[in-house]
Amino acid sequence: MRLGAKRFLDFFIENGIFNIAILPQRPALNIGRTDALPREEFEKFAIELFDYWYSLDDPRIEIRELDAILDRIFGAESKICIFGADCRDKILAIAPNGDVYPCDEFMFDDRYNLGNVREQTFEEMLNPMNPKLIRIRLEDLETKKSISCKYSKICNYGCPKDRYVLSKVYNEEDTCGWCNVIDHIYKRVMKDLGKIKE
């Protein structure tokens, strides 16, 4: 990131790598690390990366998260979980001991343990009346309520883990962590389509 978005993307292109992903570094609470890249730095980098990538207009180059934002702007389903609605009902992680969580990002917190494959069926763990699942869904709804972003229909409130970390570590409860990036991309694309003026 210190080298800048242009040098970052050029490195991959020069090495024949045309499919990349950029995820914000959040604290790894599961291993006790709270260091991370500040949200503002990641947003600045992602915006610079989008502008350079967009200017290249090369269909070979795919940047997973930026492509996903464009898909959502144009009403398509997100192909990645961070912008997918209700991902906790669609993605499960199973720890080596058989414990099941609603995403590998939550394996650090036993409050998100849905059960164990040795003791329960998936049908039991994913039963809408499972008290653990009810609590997780209510918590998820609560974190969504605090976000007042005008782009929530695009980001679907972002990744539940990012919202968890942003609220617990940074006391930022009003963002999914992608709002400024989405705002920039939306305005740039709509301007190019003649839908908005500068």
Side-chain angles (χ1 to χ4, degrees):
M1 290 201 33
R2 290 183 190 123
L3 299 176
K6 183 181 184 310
R7 286 188 64 192
F8 172 83
L9 187 55
D10 285 344
F11 169 82
F12 288 104
I13 295 168
E14 289 163 9
N15 287 284
I17 300 168
F18 300 102
N19 296 296
I20 63 171
I22 55 162
L23 286 173
Q25 180 191 5
R26 303 281 189 237
L29 301 177
N30 55 330
I31 58 171
R33 291 188 58 188
T34 57
D35 59 322
L37 183 69
R39 180 176 55 82
E40 296 82 9
E41 283 185 44
F42 174 77
E43 288 175 335
K44 181 177 182 266
F45 175 80
I47 287 168
E48 289 173 6
L49 182 62
F50 172 80
D51 286 343
Y52 181 54
W53 172 66
Y54 192 70
S55 74
L56 293 176
D57 195 24
D58 184 341
R60 296 174 306 158
I61 306 167
E62 295 180 20
I63 302 176
R64 184 180 68 175
E65 290 74 16
L66 303 181
D67 275 316
I69 290 169
L70 289 171
D71 285 347
R72 295 296 303 139
I73 287 171
F74 293 109
E77 287 287 319
S78 176
K79 295 180 188 103
I80 61 173
C81 61
I82 63 170
F83 301 128
D86 302 320
C87 62
R88 291 184 181 187
D89 293 343
K90 299 173 186 162
I91 299 170
L92 295 176
I94 304 172
N97 67 355
D99 286 346
V100 177
Y101 297 84
C103 174
D104 63 320
E105 295 287 358
F106 285 93
M107 295 173 85
F108 63 87
D109 191 333
D110 280 336
R111 294 179 310 128
Y112 294 92
N113 183 327
L114 296 174
N116 189 290
V117 293
R118 294 183 187 140
E119 300 162 10
Q120 296 159 287
T121 66
F122 284 110
E123 188 176 316
E124 291 170 322
M125 287 183 269
L126 296 176
N127 181 324
M129 299 312 292
N130 175 346
K132 292 178 181 180
L133 200 52
I134 290 171
R135 185 195 53 74
I136 290 169
R137 286 188 180 138
L138 288 173
E139 182 180 283
D140 195 41
L141 285 173
E142 196 60 37
T143 62
K144 286 179 180 179
K145 282 183 194 175
S146 66
I147 297 177
S148 59
C149 176
K150 64 183 175 182
Y151 298 113
S152 60
K153 291 202 183 308
I154 293 171
C155 71
N156 285 313
Y157 301 98
C159 172
K161 191 256 186 172
D162 287 347
R163 288 195 314 269
Y164 176 94
V165 169
L166 288 167
S167 67
K168 302 281 188 225
V169 177
Y170 299 110
N171 295 316
E172 294 184 39
E173 296 188 357
D174 61 340
T175 182
C176 70
W178 286 89
C179 301
N180 293 327
V181 177
I182 293 169
D183 181 64
H184 178 81
I185 293 172
Y186 182 84
K187 287 176 178 171
R188 174 83 187 264
V189 169
M190 291 300 125
K191 178 181 165 261
D192 287 354
L193 292 174
K195 304 270 185 186
I196 60 173
K197 296 185 184 342
E198 271 190 88

